[in-house]
Amino acid sequence: VQLDKLLKLLPRKIGLKSKASARARGKLAANPSGEANTAILNKEQVMAQEQQAMQQEMQSGAAQARPKPVEEVAPATMPNGTEVNYDNALVAFTRIMWTNQAMPALQGLMTDNDVVAMMDQFVSTCSPLVQCHYQFVKEAMMIKNAGGNMAQVMRQLHKRMDKNPLFYCTNNEIVIGQLDRTDWNSLLPGIDKGLQQSLYMLSTDMFPRFLNSAWAKPAIMKVAGKEASGQQGAVGTAARGCQKQSPSYWMDMFKNMSETVSVGMVISDMTVPGIPLAHVNEGFQAVTGYSKQDAIGKNCSFLQGQGTEMYLIEEIMEALRHADPLCIKLTNYKKGGQLFQCLFALHPILGHDGEYKFQVGIQVEMCESPQITAQLVEFERVLRMLPSTTNGMDPEEIGRLVPVSISGDAMVDPRVETVKSVTHAVPEGTAMQENVQMSAQQAKQQSETTVTTAKGKGRTQYGKKFGKKHRNAMMQFTKTLWMQDAESSLRKLLENQVAQQAMMQFLKTEYGEAQLEFYLAADAAIKSNNAQQAMQVYNQFLSLGGQGIGQQERTGQTQQVWDYVNNAGNSEGVDQGTVMQKIKEEADSIIKMLAFDAFPRFLRSRYCGAVMQQLRTNGGAGAGEIEAALNQSGAKMPQDADDWLNMFVSSAESFPACIVISDMTIPGAPMVYVNGEFSRTTGYTKEESVGRNCRFLQGPDTEPESIQVIRNTLSKGQDCHVLLTNYRKNGEKFRNLLSMRPVFDADNIYRYVIGVQFEVVQDKNLKKRLVQLDKLLKLLPRKIGLKSKASARARGKLAAKTTGEANQAVGQGDAVLKQGEQEEMREGGGSRPREKIQKQVVDQTSFDYSKAIYAFTKIMWLQDPITALRGILGTPDSASIFLQFAEKSSILAKFHVTFYMEMEQIKGAPQSEQMRMAFELHRRMGYNALFYCTTNEIVVGQIRQADWNTILQNALKWQQQTLFMLASDLFPRFMESEMSKQAFDKIRQMEIGGQNGMARTAACGLNPRQDGFYLEMFKAMSETLNVAAVITDMQIPGLPLQYVNEGFMACTGYSKADAMGRNCKFLQGEKTQNYLIDEIVEALRQSEPLVTSLYNYKKNGQMFQCTLALQPIWTEDLEYKYQVGMQVDVDPSNQNQMRLLMEMERAMRILPLTTTGKAPPEMEERKVQLGQVLQQMGGGTGLMGGMGGGMGGGMGMGGGMGMGGGMGMGGGMG
């Protein structure tokens, strides 16, 4: 009764006003009627008016008798953008916006020159494939914006013969020689289609990494600065249309950002009683049916209904009171009264001064729909990227909001444009050094000789960079007395009639008897000094015409030269006074050639044995002297093909023609020798020439058909005889009649090519010079009866076969090469030439391959993220690391990982225990991942009566959905963080210990101490790819394919058996562009990455456009070891084309540059240079601290979770 009387005394209304600050809060508070309070939309205006009223009250003294709070607090207003630095919040909001609208954002940003300059730098850290498509987008947009000059711009851009993305990124067919007749309008549809495809690829792959890199903030701030000055670009930041001086500046940026989010997003002002919604986005209406007018100004309790779980409402209220993040699932109601399961997350935001300012809510309807995975991924991404303070300056979250990785991937270094191979000098004090007549420094300088031509320093006549010298071709030829001994012995031998006949019989077996016939006739004329006899010898042997070598395939111009000479007759006549001198010179030349070529083989033949036996039996004048000479020559003659080379060089130096020798067992066929006449004719010194392929003599006017003849004949091991235009060092052109003779050793290994170059000058002496040339060519051997040294034999065994057949030995490449090196160390040196730059024998098995293993594993895991993630979560040590990553990412990620792991526990239990485990785990009233991550409906009071079989089946279905969601977004970001290396290390240690888990590395089952370890890892990785992947050992002549994956067969139709051991030119055909082949050859020679697109042919003869990417790989000691190639059939009808291109890009980007994964020395310089450029562009300082950060730093969501430190403020608010 007393209570009732007391209640009746309490007033319902008092006729007095509240003070101004209370009036302001009351005007903004949620209405008790449940109606929307629209005043919340003008909060800052309401607060400003009441603040002014409060000042008037204080001046009038009306408030003197009022009770005073312990601390007088002015009405809560947000400081504007001039009072507090909101740049980090601006960056965070804009990153969300641009990520959500990646393709239009990227296209718009590429119209801003300042942003493009930053993006150029970022793209330089990416793979060549991204660089190609990025350049194409720039050029395609340039064409679209050219207006009336479009045709002129298109023609100019299409004139490039190589590195032309307008050709590589479209299916347009362009004939370079017909540009003036090209209908440029007909190419526009192809360019437009290619533009959309490239934009899609870049916005899906490159652009998100750009926004996750240190380049994002300066780019965003540059655009925002222009907006502030009134320049509105094609794409805006979160600050567009916002007034920095306004107290609503932060809230206006939030609103702009939220409208790019497709899931439901709301924000409540925690300084206003009743916590009314200050803003809801369009996604909120899509989820709930309530419009902005319906919702803004209301407390969100209007979503609740009879079926809403009260214990979950209490959980929400607790989180709101304590400024805690929260993720739950509860039953809500749509505007039409329809009940739905709402997955809901709260994200508290504190002011710059620590005051509890806002709660951001994100929600999605949990239902089985095709969009649910994309919605959950976006949900998690927004939560992860939201700031936890209004200014984004919390030290724990700066790394998350403002990434510091230069490449956008903490575990991938930026690309290095050029890697310089290390030159290994001869170790001091070794026997080898005593034979090398130069210092290590001199050898290094010679290997790095820079050539200056008419086109500039280090540039060929095409204006391209000179090819790098091959160190194995840098030879020091030793002087030998054997040639002198052999020549005198042969002369002595041929004085004997028996020996003459034996030598003639031997030469007839090689079809070389004409050489001896001439010598004997000339020798008789010279000794008798008979001028008439000398003239007969000259007319019989020296005035004959010829056709030159290599008649199998030659150009028309080459044939015309010989036809001209042979049809001209011998009209110039011969001076009888000089005939004797001419035949003497020719005889001396013949005897020298026979001495170094045929004579050694004769000494080993049965014919020599027969001569020795006959001399011993019959005796005669000089028999003993001849036998002694033969024995002496036989003891000193060349022991192998390299000795033979050393001997040939001794003679070639005096030849009147340009002589070059290339070693075909060295990849790229570099010249190991040029004579003095070559240097005099071309202007290039020996130091500038040796070690390079002779292609540097070519230039713009060099005939393509002549180059093709050279390629075709030499690749088949056939003679080559071709007339072509070459260039001297000073840029002067000359006509060069080039003859090349392949030379095989005793094992039929394609060992050398001897080239004889002859400058064609149309004068009366042309025939005479050509006749001399023809005689010289006939003296060149096709085969030498000597074996090569062990290392050359090894390379020859592995080389691509001249027949075009597959070389099966290439599968054991590393083992064969290593065995060859070991055998050579045991062999004697003889008089063979020495390498000026000695390759150090390095035990590749002693290296640390962990970085390479990780890189290959990363490619494999990202190729099949579902299997990889299932394996990681199935291994306790790696699972705990992944859970830590999820906790630092967002509360939603944490719950989904927890849900998956708990379901795995249930599945792993005996079937009889599964129901009990599920029951126990569902008894939790709060933070129950098993409930939040499924559509199961469980009434807590009726949990014992639940149908647990149905619940488990539904949970299993949602477990797969969770796995798919995590594999789609969280796992790729995990692989970009340093924590992925920790998980990898755990799994790798298990493998080393003999335990193979569900997740496997690229090295699983392999021994790092065995030869070919890198190649075996490549094989394992490549078989996970859908794109065609091949690898070639650059130390094997002919560059046969060492391995091709199954994707290669899918792309080309050629199986492993068809392709491995062959040079990849079998893919070429009639319409394959030769200028693009030149581009590929140049990249291989320069050890440079390349992206190109050319016509190739499948096994069934079908032509296809092939996008090809090449990536050179070095050993840890920086020896050019491999070329990795990947290719895609550019088929417009293939819906998977862009997916394949992105797969290729990812693999090429992650692929390590060295066989051990160790960064080349140029990497540090590259990082410093990028850091300096970034700082100049406004990226700030301290960005080079380990290239990490990125998503690793982005795990700082713990900063948001740590706002529990602000619980005291929650209590204060209470």
Side-chain angles (χ1 to χ4, degrees):
V1 170
Q2 288 176 333
L3 173 63
D4 187 53
K5 289 181 178 179
L6 176 60
L7 292 174
K8 290 178 179 178
L9 291 174
L10 296 178
R12 296 182 185 275
K13 187 172 183 178
I14 53 178
L16 300 169
K17 289 187 175 185
S18 297
K19 62 180 181 179
S21 59
R23 288 203 302 272
R25 291 196 295 269
K27 288 180 180 178
L28 298 172
N31 286 329
S33 64
E35 296 176 353
N37 185 353
T38 56
I40 194 72
L41 296 172
N42 301 303
K43 176 191 171 184
E44 306 304 333
Q45 182 179 351
V46 171
M47 298 301 292
Q49 291 173 351
E50 295 302 329
Q51 190 169 16
Q52 184 179 4
M54 186 176 70
Q55 291 173 351
Q56 292 175 353
E57 289 175 354
M58 295 179 69
Q59 291 173 0
S60 66
Q64 289 181 359
R66 290 178 184 165
K68 302 286 187 182
V70 174
E71 181 180 354
E72 185 70 37
V73 179
T77 58
M78 278 285 288
N80 62 42
T82 63
E83 297 168 329
V84 172
N85 185 342
Y86 290 119
D87 286 354
N88 284 355
L90 165 61
V91 170
F93 290 154
T94 305
R95 286 177 64 216
I96 294 173
M97 292 172 61
W98 290 357
T99 303
N100 287 339
Q101 301 175 327
M103 190 163 168
L106 175 60
Q107 188 168 6
L109 289 173
M110 291 192 70
T111 63
D112 187 316
N113 291 334
D114 292 319
V115 175
V116 167
M118 299 179 198
M119 213 173 290
D120 287 346
Q121 294 294 326
F122 174 78
V123 169
S124 73
T125 72
C126 301
S127 72
L129 187 64
V130 160
Q131 294 173 17
C132 179
H133 279 269
Y134 175 75
Q135 183 63 27
F136 167 70
V137 169
K138 291 170 66 175
E139 293 181 2
M141 292 176 67
M142 184 191 307
I143 290 171
K144 291 174 69 69
N145 296 327
N149 296 324
M150 184 197 69
Q152 181 180 352
V153 171
M154 288 182 73
R155 188 185 188 285
Q156 189 65 29
L157 290 172
H158 281 87
K159 279 176 66 177
R160 293 166 299 184
M161 291 285 287
D162 56 6
K163 298 181 180 177
N164 190 340
L166 284 172
F167 179 57
Y168 303 159
C169 301
T170 70
N171 289 99
N172 288 333
E173 295 188 18
I174 302 163
V175 181
I176 299 295
Q178 300 178 11
L179 289 181
D180 291 333
R181 299 188 295 277
T182 300
D183 179 7
W184 297 110
N185 286 323
S186 67
L187 300 180
L188 284 177
I191 291 176
D192 286 339
K193 182 177 181 179
L195 176 60
Q196 294 305 306
Q197 290 178 333
S198 293
L199 280 171
Y200 173 78
M201 172 188 167
L202 294 175
S203 63
T204 305
D205 179 78
M206 180 276 289
F207 190 54
R209 283 186 287 109
F210 173 76
L211 293 178
N212 191 46
S213 75
W215 305 95
K217 181 173 182 177
I220 291 170
M221 296 311 299
K222 180 64 71 173
V223 176
K226 292 181 179 180
E227 291 173 343
S229 64
Q231 303 177 52
Q232 303 299 319
V235 62
T237 69
R240 173 171 286 190
C242 304
Q243 297 299 317
K244 202 168 187 178
Q245 298 79 9
S246 170
S248 64
Y249 176 65
W250 188 93
M251 179 62 78
D252 292 338
M253 288 196 297
F254 175 88
K255 292 177 181 178
N256 284 342
M257 175 273 296
S258 70
E259 293 304 334
T260 68
V261 177
S262 66
V263 297
M265 194 169 191
V266 305
I267 188 169
S268 294
D269 191 330
M270 300 305 293
T271 66
V272 175
I275 317 178
L277 299 176
H279 180 74
V280 302
N281 71 343
E282 292 294 331
F284 180 83
Q285 183 172 359
V287 174
T288 67
Y290 288 95
S291 67
K292 296 182 191 300
Q293 292 77 12
D294 296 329
I296 294 176
K298 287 184 178 180
N299 182 287
C300 61
S301 58
F302 64 87
L303 293 172
Q304 301 168 18
Q306 182 179 1
T308 302
E309 302 85 348
M310 291 308 299
Y311 71 94
L312 295 176
I313 298 298
E314 292 174 4
E315 195 173 332
I316 294 173
M317 295 303 297
E318 190 72 12
L320 292 174
R321 275 199 302 272
H322 291 91
D324 285 339
L326 177 70
C327 182
I328 63 168
K329 185 196 73 174
L330 73 164
T331 302
N332 272 346
Y333 291 79
K334 299 188 178 185
K335 186 176 182 180
Q338 178 187 356
L339 177 147
F340 74 101
Q341 291 192 343
C342 175
L343 183 65
F344 179 62
L346 286 176
H347 180 82
I349 295 179
L350 306 185
H352 72 285
D353 54 358
E355 183 184 6
Y356 186 11
K357 283 288 187 182
F358 301 107
Q359 269 285 3
V360 174
I362 305 176
Q363 57 193 157
V364 68
E365 180 178 0
M366 282 291 285
C367 62
E368 298 178 22
S369 73
Q371 296 82 29
I372 188 63
T373 299
Q375 290 173 341
L376 289 174
V377 166
E378 182 183 9
F379 191 151
E380 197 280 328
R381 181 175 63 241
V382 174
L383 265 182
R384 167 171 43 88
M385 298 174 78
L386 274 176
S388 298
T389 58
T390 53
N391 63 356
M393 295 296 288
D394 188 320
E396 295 186 14
E397 69 173 2
I398 286 181
R400 174 172 61 86
L401 301 180
V402 186
V404 297
S405 167
I406 285 187
S407 67
D409 185 334
M411 300 307 294
V412 175
D413 286 326
R415 307 303 290 178
V416 175
E417 296 176 4
T418 303
V419 176
K420 294 181 181 179
S421 296
V422 172
T423 301
H424 298 291
V426 182
E428 294 185 5
T430 62
M432 175 66 78
Q433 190 190 37
E434 296 171 3
N435 292 321
V436 179
Q437 302 301 312
M438 61 170 60
S439 69
Q441 182 62 29
Q442 287 174 323
K444 186 175 188 296
Q445 289 174 352
Q446 192 178 116
S447 72
E448 297 175 353
T449 301
T450 300
V451 184
T452 301
T453 68
K455 291 293 185 179
K457 187 175 182 179
R459 296 287 167 179
T460 67
Q461 302 299 336
Y462 286 112
K464 297 179 179 180
K465 289 190 298 184
F466 259 88
K468 297 176 182 177
K469 287 189 172 187
H470 201 297
R471 67 182 178 196
N472 289 350
M474 305 290 290
M475 297 293 184
Q476 179 75 37
F477 293 99
T478 57
K479 293 184 178 180
T480 175
L481 297 177
W482 188 88
M483 272 296 297
Q484 298 175 16
D485 295 340
E487 184 180 335
S488 61
S489 297
L490 181 57
R491 288 182 186 274
K492 179 68 70 175
L493 175 72
L494 294 177
E495 292 175 357
N496 182 279
Q497 189 68 32
V498 173
Q500 282 183 18
Q501 294 175 358
M503 188 70 176
M504 185 69 73
Q505 291 174 348
F506 170 74
L507 289 175
K508 284 182 178 180
T509 65
E510 297 186 348
Y511 306 99
E513 68 275 9
Q515 302 169 25
L516 183 57
E517 290 173 354
F518 164 75
Y519 173 78
L520 294 174
D523 187 56
I526 293 168
K527 286 180 178 178
S528 66
N529 198 26
N530 188 325
Q532 185 177 359
Q533 186 179 358
M535 181 61 75
Q536 292 175 351
V537 171
Y538 180 85
N539 289 332
Q540 180 182 356
F541 291 100
L542 299 186
S543 64
L544 297 177
Q547 292 295 326
I549 64 176
Q551 296 182 53
Q552 299 92 334
E553 184 177 358
R554 59 172 59 177
T555 64
Q557 288 184 335
T558 309
Q559 190 63 50
Q560 287 174 13
V561 171
W562 286 101
D563 291 344
Y564 165 77
V565 170
N566 290 321
N567 294 334
N570 195 18
S571 58
E572 71 276 11
V574 181
D575 181 3
Q576 291 188 3
T578 61
V579 164
M580 190 68 73
Q581 181 62 30
K582 288 183 179 297
I583 66 169
K584 186 178 185 306
E585 291 174 355
E586 188 69 18
D588 288 342
S589 177
I590 290 288
I591 200 69
K592 287 181 180 179
M593 293 294 288
L594 288 173
F596 87 79
D597 179 41
F599 189 41
R601 295 196 299 278
F602 172 75
L603 292 175
R604 287 190 174 93
S605 71
R606 60 185 177 86
Y607 298 99
C608 181
V611 170
M612 298 279 280
Q613 183 62 38
Q614 194 164 358
L615 288 174
R616 294 190 191 104
T617 303
N618 300 333
E625 188 178 352
I626 294 173
E627 184 177 358
L630 290 176
N631 285 328
Q632 184 179 11
S633 297
K636 295 180 179 179
M637 69 182 183
Q639 300 300 305
D640 59 26
D642 297 86
D643 284 355
W644 177 90
L645 174 64
N646 200 77
M647 182 180 60
F648 178 84
V649 166
S650 299
S651 299
E653 195 59 38
S654 62
F655 288 173
C658 299
I659 303 293
V660 302
I661 304 174
S662 295
D663 191 332
M664 301 304 287
T665 66
I666 301 176
M671 295 182 294
V672 296
Y673 169 77
V674 301
N675 69 349
E677 187 64 24
F678 175 89
S679 296
R680 285 189 290 274
T681 301
T682 65
Y684 292 97
T685 66
K686 293 186 178 185
E687 290 74 17
E688 293 171 333
S689 306
V690 170
R692 293 190 169 100
N693 187 286
C694 61
R695 296 184 192 94
F696 64 81
L697 294 175
Q698 300 170 13
D701 290 336
T702 301
E703 298 78 3
E705 61 269 25
S706 297
I707 297 174
Q708 192 60 41
V709 168
I710 295 172
R711 283 185 181 146
N712 290 344
T713 54
L714 291 189
S715 65
K716 299 172 184 176
Q718 298 174 346
D719 289 345
C720 174
H721 191 64
V722 67
L723 180 68
L724 73 165
T725 301
N726 275 162
Y727 289 75
R728 304 188 213 277
K729 184 178 176 180
N730 62 8
E732 178 186 349
K733 291 186 285 188
F734 69 98
R735 300 289 283 163
N736 182 12
L737 187 61
L738 172 66
S739 301
M740 303 181 81
R741 163 72 41 95
V743 179
F744 295 81
D745 69 4
D747 294 319
N748 211 34
I749 290 174
Y750 192 0
R751 190 60 213 275
Y752 301 113
V753 164
I754 302 174
V756 181
Q757 301 186 30
F758 177 85
E759 182 177 359
V760 176
V761 179
Q762 297 284 351
D763 60 15
K764 65 178 183 179
N765 294 321
L766 178 59
K767 178 178 180 180
K768 189 187 303 182
R769 296 198 306 274
L770 283 175
V771 169
Q772 291 176 332
L773 171 67
D774 199 45
K775 297 294 182 185
L776 176 60
L777 295 175
K778 289 177 180 177
L779 291 173
L780 298 177
R782 281 188 171 84
K783 189 167 185 176
I784 52 178
L786 301 166
K787 288 179 176 286
S788 296
K789 62 182 180 180
S791 61
R793 289 200 304 273
R795 293 195 299 265
K797 288 178 183 177
L798 299 172
K801 293 188 176 181
T802 55
T803 60
E805 298 173 334
N807 186 348
Q808 303 299 331
V810 78
Q812 302 296 322
D814 285 341
V816 172
L817 290 174
K818 184 175 181 179
Q819 183 181 359
E821 291 176 356
Q822 293 171 344
E823 287 180 5
E824 187 165 321
M825 293 177 68
R826 296 191 294 266
E827 291 177 350
S831 60
R832 65 171 60 138
R834 309 292 187 184
E835 294 181 0
K836 290 180 178 178
I837 303 167
Q838 177 77 359
K839 176 183 176 182
Q840 292 178 341
V841 179
V842 180
D843 183 9
Q844 299 286 338
T845 63
S846 64
F847 290 139
D848 177 9
Y849 286 94
S850 59
K851 291 183 178 179
I853 300 172
Y854 170 78
F856 279 130
T857 303
K858 181 172 180 175
I859 296 172
M860 293 169 60
W861 286 359
L862 289 174
Q863 189 63 22
D864 186 3
I866 291 179
T867 301
L869 181 55
R870 185 183 287 119
I872 289 173
L873 292 176
T875 306
D877 287 342
S878 58
S880 65
I881 294 171
F882 190 78
L883 179 58
Q884 291 173 36
F885 176 83
E887 289 171 345
K888 294 177 180 180
S889 185
S890 74
I891 191 171
L892 183 68
K894 170 191 171 183
F895 273 130
H896 275 273
V897 173
T898 302
F899 164 63
Y900 182 89
M901 294 172 67
E902 289 182 351
M903 284 302 302
E904 285 298 288
Q905 293 176 16
I906 294 174
K907 287 162 57 178
Q911 190 168 5
S912 59
E913 289 291 309
Q914 290 181 0
M915 298 292 185
R916 186 192 63 79
M917 286 186 67
F919 174 79
E920 291 297 328
L921 289 171
H922 277 85
R923 290 180 64 185
R924 295 170 297 188
M925 292 286 288
Y927 299 99
N928 191 336
L930 285 172
F931 178 55
Y932 300 160
C933 300
T934 70
T935 52
N936 285 328
E937 295 187 18
I938 301 170
V939 180
V940 174
Q942 302 175 10
I943 192 169
R944 295 186 182 279
Q945 290 78 39
D947 180 356
W948 287 104
N949 184 55
T950 302
I951 289 172
L952 272 180
Q953 292 304 312
N954 188 53
L956 287 171
K957 183 168 58 178
W958 277 98
Q959 186 194 22
Q960 293 305 307
Q961 176 64 47
T962 288
L963 181 65
F964 190 72
M965 171 248 184
L966 294 175
S968 299
D969 184 68
L970 189 68
F971 181 68
R973 288 190 292 105
F974 173 71
M975 293 305 299
E976 292 176 350
S977 76
E978 295 176 357
M979 296 182 78
S980 66
K981 182 64 165 57
Q982 299 172 22
F984 160 82
D985 288 339
K986 296 289 186 184
I987 292 172
R988 181 64 188 143
Q989 288 303 314
M990 287 178 56
E991 291 178 348
I992 293 173
Q995 304 177 54
N996 292 331
M998 295 175 61
R1000 299 193 177 188
T1001 73
C1004 184
L1006 303 178
N1007 183 0
R1009 303 294 170 234
Q1010 289 185 343
D1011 294 322
F1013 176 63
Y1014 177 91
L1015 184 60
E1016 293 304 314
M1017 285 198 297
F1018 176 85
K1019 293 177 182 179
M1021 178 277 294
S1022 68
E1023 291 303 340
T1024 68
L1025 300 177
N1026 295 299
V1027 299
V1030 305
I1031 188 169
T1032 296
D1033 191 328
M1034 298 305 294
Q1035 297 178 357
I1036 297 178
L1039 307 184
L1041 298 175
Q1042 274 204 290
Y1043 190 76
V1044 303
N1045 69 343
E1046 290 296 327
F1048 182 83
M1049 182 175 180
C1051 179
T1052 67
Y1054 289 95
S1055 67
K1056 289 178 167 59
D1058 294 329
M1060 288 168 57
R1062 298 172 71 185
N1063 183 288
C1064 62
K1065 64 186 178 184
F1066 63 83
L1067 293 172
Q1068 299 169 19
E1070 181 182 358
K1071 291 190 176 181
T1072 302
Q1073 305 91 330
N1074 285 325
Y1075 70 93
L1076 294 176
I1077 298 297
D1078 291 339
E1079 187 177 347
I1080 294 172
V1081 170
E1082 187 75 10
L1084 293 174
R1085 202 165 59 237
Q1086 299 279 9
S1087 61
E1088 292 179 345
L1090 174 72
V1091 170
T1092 189
S1093 182
L1094 73 165
Y1095 291 128
N1096 272 344
Y1097 290 79
K1098 300 190 178 187
K1099 187 176 181 179
N1100 61 7
Q1102 178 188 352
M1103 187 179 75
F1104 71 101
Q1105 185 172 339
C1106 169
T1107 291
L1108 170 69
L1110 294 176
Q1111 178 60 56
I1113 307 295
W1114 290 264
T1115 60
E1116 181 166 295
D1117 55 338
L1118 298 185
E1119 184 178 11
Y1120 184 18
K1121 177 62 176 171
Y1122 296 111
Q1123 269 283 1
V1124 171
M1126 295 188 186
Q1127 52 190 330
V1128 169
D1129 178 359
V1130 184
D1131 180 2
S1133 65
N1134 185 359
Q1135 297 181 350
N1136 293 322
Q1137 178 178 312
M1138 295 313 297
R1139 180 181 60 81
L1140 291 173
L1141 284 173
M1142 286 188 285
E1143 177 183 311
M1144 181 196 290
E1145 190 285 323
R1146 181 176 62 238
M1148 297 299 282
R1149 173 170 54 87
I1150 299 173
L1151 198 68
L1153 295 181
T1154 63
T1155 52
T1156 62
K1158 179 182 177 182
E1162 292 83 357
M1163 185 61 72
E1164 286 307 312
E1165 181 182 350
R1166 172 76 167 139
K1167 291 179 181 180
V1168 170
Q1169 177 246 334
L1170 286 169
Q1172 291 171 345
V1173 173
L1174 182 60
Q1175 189 170 351
Q1176 291 169 3
M1177 290 184 167
T1181 58
L1183 296 172
M1184 294 309 299
M1187 301 295 294
M1191 302 315 290
M1195 324 302 138
M1197 200 59 184
M1201 297 185 70
M1203 289 306 133
M1207 283 194 222
M1209 280 176 288
M1213 292 292 296

